[in-house]
Every structure is written in C-alpha cells, then in structure tokens.
Amino acid sequence: MDDLNIRKTGRAGRITFTRPKALNALSHEMARAIHRALDGWRDDPDVALVIIDAEGDRAFCAGGDIAAVYRAGLAGEHAAGQRFFADEYRMNAAIADYPKPIVAFMQGFVMGGGVGVGGHASHRIVGDTTQIAMPESGIGLIPDVGGTWLLSRAPGRIGEYLALTGARMGAGDAIHAGFADTYLPESEWPDLIARLEETGDLSLIEGAHAPTAPLRTMDLSPFAAETVPDIIDALEEDGNAQVLKILHANSPLSMAAGLAMVRAARNDSRMQDSLAREYRFTYRATQDTDFLEGVRAQIIDKDRKPKWMADASPDNVAALLAPLGPNELDWEERA
C-alpha cells in the first residue's frame, strides 16, 4: 500500500511509514496491514527480527488518522470508530507480544497511535528530534493504544502528569518514563539498520549517553491527589500557571477518565487488560464523550476552542468504563 512499505530485506522484516506529508498518521488500513505483516513473519525462518521506521524528518507517526472516524461519528455511524479502535488495539497487542524482536526507530513526533506502534516494540530507539506524547485529553479522548499501560509503569506520578497534560518527552525523558530504551544520534540510524538487516544481530544496538531527563527533577507531587479538581487545587497552591493553563484547556471528562485508567492499569497483569479498558471508553467515544467536539476544534476546524460539554462526574466515568458485554474487545476476531 502507498502509506507503508512492507518488505523483507536480508534477515529483517521491514515496515516503513511512507506518508511523511501527513506526519505518517496511522489509518485503519495501515493498522491492519502492520498486523498482517507481523502474522506473516511470525513463523518465517528467514525473518530474525522486524524493523519499523518512517520516512521524513518530522514524524515517526504523529497519531491516528481519525478524520474518517470523526465523519462517521457525525453521521451516527459509530461502528466505524469501533472497528478502527478494535483493529488498532489488536495490532498494538501483537507488537507487544511478538515472539521475535521488533526494533523501532522513532524520530520527530511520536504521538498517540505512533506510541501504539513504536512504544510496544522490544527495542525502542530515539534520537535528538524525538518528541513522544499522549495528547488525547486535548481532543476529548483518553490515552489509548496501550498508553495507559505504559503510563502506569512510569516512575512516581509521571503517568498522571503525562496523561492529563499531554506533555512532550524528548529522548532522555522518554527513556526515563519507560517509553523508549536507547538513545542514538539519528545520523547513525541508517548504518545500524543496514547492519541489522544483514545480520539480525541485536548486539549491534549500542546506544550513546542519553540526554538529560527533566522529568527526573520535576515536582509532580500534586498529581498524587485523588481527583482532577484536587490536582488543580494543589497546582494552584504551588502557583504552577503553565500546567494549570493546559489542564483548564483540556476535556474535563477525558482527564478524569484518563486519571482513573492510568491508576487502574497499575493493577493489570498484561497490556491486554489495559487495552480492553481503553476500548470500553473509545467504543463509546463518538456517541457519549467530548471526542467529536475535540477533533472538530483541534483537527478539523482548527479553531482550538473546543466547547467541552460531557459529564466528568465519577459516576459517568464509571459508566464509560463499564464492561461492554458481548461487545468487549475480541482478541481473535479480525474482519
């Protein structure tokens, strides 16, 4: 397909994002194509490892291509979004559980759906341009694609902070927070990829000294508070105007749900548990949340002035995260 270059080169299965003008945004068919490729290489003796990278300097993958989900939701066709999220999450789980090494080279923007691809690889390489984030609270969604699983395992209260603010992480912060493993200057990536293709030898991955991680020294104690309003009160006491501005701009429902989900994911034994919980929210997103309004304001009209209307009460958060019965995420079914 035009948006991905999927092939075998030497000992490697290769997946390259090839739509740099769209910041390599992940479409529904791209998610399905990645999953099919992984299935095809699982038992292929010629494939020792999988390498995922992207064309262009600006982005590995800046998120999911959700314009089609938005249009379908406006028309009342909620099943389109449900199918997209289900197939995407199955692909995320396939990457996390893959029996062969997956090496992801993540430059530029790595956001949302991009984290769902690169963030679950077994070997995650970042460089000087890398900017990793889960900014879903700003579009009325929640950190999905296994994002709550990753956030829940970040040190201290970094998970809550990143979920609520959507703050971007450079290479040092991404490694510290558990979203990446190795820093390597991007000028060295092509040579390493070529050697991995030739040999399939993971010992060739030798990182350089990672840049500093500002998250190590930030006081994130306000994010230990029980609720989003409590967190805001604590930040106001600290006089943290910059973070407060972000929280006041984001969807109250998305932040409340995201906070609950990151904390719930700390008790999950596998990423599929976190993905299943995320799917309960996204299954209902086009009908019962701020998602359509957030996408309109931030992506479609770009007026950056969303009118958040959804109920952010604990009861409504619980309802949105309640089991879906027969519509729970099925890990085997792929139409």
Side-chain angles (χ1 to χ4, degrees):
M1 60 185 303
D2 292 340
D3 298 334
L4 290 170
N5 182 3
I6 298 173
R7 72 275 189 202
K8 291 196 296 185
T9 306
R11 302 296 313 286
R14 297 282 280 110
I15 300 173
T16 301
F17 289 94
T18 57
R19 54 183 318 207
K21 291 182 179 178
L23 300 182
N24 292 315
L26 180 77
S27 69
H28 190 174
E29 183 49 40
M30 290 166 69
R32 289 166 57 86
I34 291 170
H35 201 163
R36 287 194 299 269
L38 294 176
D39 283 348
W41 294 328
R42 181 180 298 269
D43 298 317
D44 186 335
D46 294 332
V47 174
L49 53 78
V50 175
I51 298 172
I52 305 178
D53 65 350
E55 293 181 355
D57 298 328
R58 296 179 62 198
F60 170 76
C61 172
D65 190 351
I66 53 178
V69 174
Y70 169 80
R71 290 191 297 269
L74 280 184
E77 298 168 2
H78 305 293
Q82 293 159 359
R83 287 191 298 268
F84 171 64
F85 292 123
D87 285 337
E88 184 179 21
Y89 298 174
R90 292 181 188 115
M91 178 268 291
N92 303 146
I95 290 174
D97 290 345
Y98 205 60
K100 297 179 180 181
I102 298 179
V103 187
F105 291 82
M106 300 183 287
Q107 81 278 13
F109 294 126
V110 187
M111 298 181 177
V115 173
V117 175
H120 303 307
S122 60
H123 297 72
R124 303 164 297 178
I125 297 173
V126 290
D128 291 310
T129 68
T130 304
Q131 294 287 307
I132 297 180
M134 298 299 295
E136 287 80 6
S137 289
I139 60 166
L141 204 61
I142 44 87
D144 65 335
V145 299
T148 59
W149 169 265
L150 292 171
L151 292 166
S152 74
R153 277 143 181 79
R157 298 297 174 174
I158 288 174
E160 285 95 334
Y161 167 72
L162 295 174
L164 268 60
T165 65
R168 298 176 183 178
M169 296 178 282
D173 277 339
I175 292 171
H176 176 63
F179 280 68
D181 305 299
T182 302
Y183 163 76
L184 189 66
E186 287 158 40
S187 61
E188 299 182 28
W189 291 8
D191 179 62
L192 175 57
I193 290 172
R195 289 187 291 147
L196 289 172
E197 288 175 336
E198 180 182 356
T199 66
D201 182 1
L202 292 168
S203 69
L204 295 170
I205 301 175
E206 296 181 0
H209 183 68
T212 58
L215 282 175
R216 285 183 181 274
T217 57
M218 287 181 65
D219 177 14
L220 299 179
S221 58
F223 288 87
E226 184 175 355
T227 67
V228 174
D230 292 339
I231 290 171
I232 290 173
D233 287 345
L235 289 166
E236 286 176 343
E237 287 185 15
D238 286 352
N240 197 326
Q242 183 177 3
V243 175
L244 283 166
K245 182 179 179 181
I246 296 170
L247 299 191
H248 286 308
N250 286 344
S251 162
L253 170 61
S254 293
M255 291 190 294
L259 183 66
M261 295 168 76
V262 169
R263 290 174 174 174
R266 292 199 171 109
N267 295 317
D268 291 342
S269 60
R270 58 182 194 145
M271 191 178 76
Q272 282 87 341
D273 298 331
S274 302
L275 283 165
R277 187 181 300 108
E278 293 165 8
Y279 185 65
R280 292 168 186 168
F281 187 100
T282 57
Y283 181 92
R284 299 168 167 120
T286 58
Q287 193 164 10
D288 298 322
T289 76
D290 282 320
F291 175 61
L292 292 181
E293 171 60 10
V295 174
R296 179 208 65 75
Q298 305 293 358
I299 297 172
I300 305 301
D301 296 341
K302 299 183 179 179
D303 60 27
R304 317 296 187 203
K305 295 180 180 178
K307 295 179 174 61
W308 306 125
M309 301 294 291
D311 176 10
S313 70
D315 285 347
N316 194 45
V317 169
L320 289 166
L321 301 182
L324 295 164
N327 296 315
E328 284 279 281
L329 185 56
D330 184 332
W331 295 108
E332 300 301 326
E333 180 183 345
R334 292 204 307 280

